[in-house]
Amino acid sequence: MLQERAEEMEEDLLPLQERHSRLSERSAALRAQHRTLRPELETLEAEDERRIEGLRSAGAAMRAERAGLAGSLGRTLKEYELIRRSKKGIGVALLQGGRCSACNVSLPVSVQQRATQDKFPPVKCPSCGRFLIRLTQPA
Ligand SMILES: [Zn+2]
């Protein structure tokens, strides 16, 4: 009886030992792969850090430039922020084919002419109240 039970347990143990052996080999292979890839990972992480640092300094430069430009806009910037807040985040619209790109209203010729003169402060759409700008072709 006891002998039978011992044989059964040995039979149960065999698949587990095989599985343990396979998993140990797999583990060793993965450790070796990790050791091989570690230098590459360190290189990539260093490149990533440099890239992040570059983006941080570019962002800081852009924020400083924006602050400088915003200072020169004064009242128009405040007005723009108010328009933006009341118009779902979009305070400017393009003059496109005689229409406002935001509300699609056909603009009076006098408004179109003032918008194309690029004067400051910019002209506003008589319908939606956003500042109208036109895109100029790059030289
Ligand atoms: Zn409009």
Side-chain angles (χ1 to χ4, degrees), residues 97-118:
R99 293 179 174 275
C100 168
S101 68
C103 68
N104 204 32
V105 78
S106 187
L107 296 163
V109 173
S110 63
V111 172
Q112 290 182 44
Q113 284 171 341
R114 280 191 286 147
T116 55
Q117 287 167 353
D118 297 328

Side-chain angles (χ1 to χ4, degrees), residues 1 5 14 20 27 49 52 69-70 89 100 107 113 118 122 126-127:
M1 184 76 175
R5 182 81 182 111
L14 206 62
H20 178 261
S27 172
E49 279 304 314
I52 290 168
L69 291 170
C100 168
L107 296 163
Q113 284 171 341
D118 297 328
S127 174

Side-chain angles (χ1 to χ4, degrees), residues 64-114:
E65 184 185 359
R66 185 194 185 279
L69 291 170
S72 68
L73 295 177
R75 210 176 100 75
T76 304
L77 178 64
K78 286 188 182 80
E79 197 176 358
Y80 166 76
E81 295 293 351
L82 287 173
I83 295 168
R84 212 167 66 92
R85 234 173 277 150
S86 67
K87 300 290 179 184
K88 296 176 183 170
I90 301 172
V92 294
L94 293 176
L95 170 64
Q96 283 180 325
R99 293 179 174 275
C100 168
S101 68
C103 68
N104 204 32
V105 78
S106 187
L107 296 163
V109 173
S110 63
V111 172
Q112 290 182 44
Q113 284 171 341
R114 280 191 286 147

